Amino acid sequence: MKINYLMPTRIITGENCLYAERQFLSGLGKKALIVTGNNSAKISGAYDDAVKTLEANGQRHVLFDKVMANPTDACVYEAGLMARREGCDFILGCGGGSPMDAAKAVAVLALIDLSKEELFSAAFDRALPLAMIPTTSGTGSETTPYSILTDSTGSVDKTPMKRSVSSPLLFPRLAFLDAKYTIRLNRNTTINTAIDALSHAVEGMLCLRANHLSNMLAKEAITMIMDCMKDLLAFPAENPAAFPPEKREKLLLASSIAGMVIAQTGTAVPHSMGYLPTINWGTDHGRANGLFFKSFLSWCREKEQDSADKRIPALCSALGTEPEQFFDILELLLGPHEKATETELQAWSKLPMKNAANTYIKPEQKDIERIFRESLG
Amino acid sequence: MKINYLMPTRIITGENCLYAERQFLSGLGKKALIVTGNNSAKISGAYDDAVKTLEANGQRHVLFDKVMANPTDACVYEAGLMARREGCDFILGCGGGSPMDAAKAVAVLALIDLSKEELFSAAFDRALPLAMIPTTSGTGSETTPYSILTDSTGSVDKTPMKRSVSSPLLFPRLAFLDAKYTIRLNRNTTINTAIDALSHAVEGMLCLRANHLSNMLAKEAITMIMDCMKDLLAFPAENPAAFPPEKREKLLLASSIAGMVIAQTGTAVPHSMGYLPTINWGTDHGRANGLFFKSFLSWCREKEQDSADKRIPALCSALGTEPEQFFDILELLLGPHEKATETELQAWSKLPMKNAANTYIKPEQKDIERIFRESLG
């Protein structure tokens, strides 16, 4: 049994936990750069709470609120410069996965001059302390050592490509989980982020590096998310605030637990595949992963017939359903799939899939093509 | 749902993991003080592996091997002075709970002059980095922020008393879990340490501070230990090495997971009660806790009839048995209980029980007396 487990983030949860437990924040520094998008942190109330809390702690702050969805390298370099110019000594990431992932890179760039390649190869030895306030329940970025960025000229043909920075230095010191910031999330965002969290836990169980501790966490996250499925399917689209608050709370904690999973295991091939609809069509990250699950899991089930390494039974036990029933629920949540053109299908199937080698059964190019075709054909 | 979760220790497991993953140790410092008892670390092979690994890393070391069972304040002050005199910049705790608990206090005393009261009230702001190599599967000290010491003049009447130092600074940086160090443990030690780990997980579920994450960990640890019960009951006393190695591995990881539980929750009243047979009679720590479980859990079950806070059902679900069946197994493991004199029963029942207030139903003095009498009368 080989394990190498690390998740050093302090997780603080509960209504108004940021203000109530503000003494933990006060140890982080004297001046924060608050890294957010231009919208959700403010609408959710998280930004106001952050400001109130920092002021109560006697900590100064400046705001960088230009993080876009799928943040670019240019964005984090700009924020890093701002942190440096303003003399910030800690970073507060506030929002969904994009602001939190950006905040992590900013924590490094605030301290060190790095080329883009140095950043992506984690050629750094320090980072400012980070605190995170997630306002969605999907990314799990608050408990991972990863920053996923869009490298604007990363591909062979100089088109944009998702790339990740991975370093234990990027684990946040603090994660404040307050589900009140998620109560206004609409049907699409609630469902897509839930699928994202679910995909982390499910893929975590199907990664080569899965181990006893990561599987324990994955099963817990999966059980929690599946326990919210009935409510997700019946989401009150006209009144998101009517979605049960205790399920919001459960989804938020489950997404952090799923983050703890991928912090150990990384993700499997659906995440690599999902980046393509996201980058090319703007498909939400969680949805983009979900689109491949039925085909990917069916393929796993077929392939593991001939393998000693059987994982689908344990996954089904965590899901509490047989695969077919799970697919039915998932497809109801997703609705009709986006369709790729034949050109896209052929081009995407030939691209290198970084996480293929991390998947417990390594898919070949023909397998990737099959999963693309079944999912988006 | 209020949670405040922290467990920053990197857990590395597997045969020969210390040497194989020695690069993690090399980040800790240039010269280690190895803190052990005079025996088990050497017999188990852990000490030799530590020396070999430090040498391969080019790290120097000195040895402090005078930690006794239930280490005293005098012992940790002596080792702290040695670390300082020798210029050690990190501490390697190697052995069972006693050396590891001692190592934590030494990590502080090596850096700061502290009175005994300052030490026990955690009036310190730094500690040397710590790495732990457990050689038993009970204490979980490798994943907790606690150092349990015997204060030689701690009681009101100046007799010895168990006291704890608690600080996030005492979380080890690294825990290396290699079950090969436990294969020679005899029946008594194997069973008593398994009961210790089980008591951490069970009490963790019955502490006021139990939460979703600590309960997830507790259930996992309980399930893993219960899965070893058949083998523990059939322990091959004449040949400890015949105990199944995969169960040794399971018990070792379970004890670390149970440590992660009490790192969040603390322990409940059986731990406070157990210190009395340990200090007065030398009863093994794990056994001392186990002696009270049947009576304590029966009392909990009675009391929670009138409470909204019902925890015994979830505990039974984790145990996979009804309480009576669990008691039968436990009593088979423990064998006949030690007997206290009437004078002891009366005196002990009147002592303050530190963890009573941490227990989900706070026992009164008459309840404590009942549990003492039922367990040791």
Side-chain angles (χ1 to χ4, degrees), chain A residues 1-14 21 24 168 212-213 216-217 220 224 249-250 253 257 260, chain B residues 1-14 21 24 168 212-213 216-217 220 224 249-250 253 257 260:
Chain A
M1 178 152 51
K2 285 181 83 166
I3 302 176
N4 189 333
Y5 175 89
L6 179 67
M7 207 304 286
T9 305
R10 184 187 286 274
I11 301 173
I12 297 175
T13 75
E21 304 293 338
F24 292 100
H212 192 100
L213 289 174
M216 168 190 72
L217 295 162
E220 184 70 22
M224 291 170 80
E249 213 171 10
K250 196 169 248 192
L253 182 59
I257 297 175
M260 294 167 77
Chain B
M1 179 152 51
K2 286 181 79 163
I3 301 177
N4 188 333
Y5 174 89
L6 179 67
M7 208 302 288
T9 305
R10 184 187 286 275
I11 300 173
I12 297 175
T13 75
E21 303 295 337
F24 292 101
H212 192 100
L213 288 175
M216 167 191 72
L217 295 162
E220 184 70 22
M224 292 170 80
E249 213 171 9
K250 196 169 246 191
L253 181 58
I257 297 175
M260 294 167 77

Side-chain angles (χ1 to χ4, degrees), chain A residues 153-368:
Chain A
T153 56
S155 293
V156 205
D157 60 354
K158 303 281 177 198
T159 58
M161 186 175 82
K162 285 265 195 177
R163 296 178 73 182
S164 68
V165 191
S166 171
S167 162
L169 295 165
L170 300 185
F171 273 115
R173 295 272 189 94
L174 298 170
F176 292 96
L177 310 185
D178 188 339
K180 79 176 178 185
Y181 304 135
T182 69
I183 57 174
R184 287 185 192 80
L185 296 178
N186 65 21
R187 181 178 191 282
N188 271 351
T189 306
T190 304
I191 287 178
N192 289 343
T193 48
I195 294 176
D196 188 22
L198 186 65
S199 75
H200 294 154
V202 169
E203 290 181 38
M205 289 184 76
L206 304 176
C207 280
L208 278 182
R209 278 183 281 158
N211 62 49
H212 192 100
L213 289 174
S214 67
N215 281 336
M216 168 190 72
L217 295 162
K219 288 174 200 166
E220 184 70 22
I222 291 170
T223 303
M224 291 170 80
I225 297 167
M226 292 304 285
D227 187 47
C228 299
M229 275 300 167
K230 226 175 77 181
D231 297 284
L232 286 168
L233 287 167
F235 193 96
E238 67 297 337
N239 180 19
F243 187 80
E246 69 277 11
K247 295 295 163 82
R248 293 277 193 200
E249 213 171 10
K250 196 169 248 192
L251 288 170
L252 183 56
L253 182 59
S255 74
S256 287
I257 297 175
M260 294 167 77
V261 174
I262 59 168
Q264 316 308 319
T265 62
T267 50
V269 79
H271 258 67
S272 294
M273 301 178 72
Y275 290 148
L276 288 154
T278 296
I279 287 225
N280 290 281
W281 306 336
T283 311
D284 262 14
H285 169 63
R287 176 177 177 81
N289 298 334
L291 292 171
F292 300 107
F293 261 78
K294 181 176 175 179
S295 173
F296 169 66
L297 294 176
S298 303
W299 175 83
C300 290
R301 188 169 44 165
E302 273 173 51
K303 282 286 174 178
E304 76 172 31
Q305 302 293 326
D306 306 319
S307 162
D309 188 359
K310 299 199 193 302
R311 303 199 186 182
I312 298 296
L315 174 60
C316 289
S317 152
L319 288 165
T321 68
E322 286 307 299
E324 273 65 29
Q325 291 169 283
F326 172 62
F327 298 153
D328 288 348
I329 296 170
L330 192 66
E331 296 304 322
L332 275 173
L333 283 178
L334 290 167
H337 287 209
E338 291 80 341
K339 299 285 176 204
T341 63
E342 181 60 28
T343 317
E344 284 169 329
L345 288 173
Q346 288 194 17
W348 296 359
S349 299
K350 286 182 191 129
L351 291 174
M353 293 292 147
K354 193 177 163 230
N355 293 350
N358 195 28
T359 307
Y360 79 120
I361 302 171
K362 189 180 169 178
E364 297 171 23
Q365 197 203 314
K366 69 171 170 35
D367 305 314
I368 300 285

Side-chain angles (χ1 to χ4, degrees), chain B residues 11 126 165-167 172 296 299 311:
Chain B
I11 300 173
R126 56 197 192 280
V165 191
S166 171
S167 162
F296 169 66
W299 174 83
R311 304 199 184 183

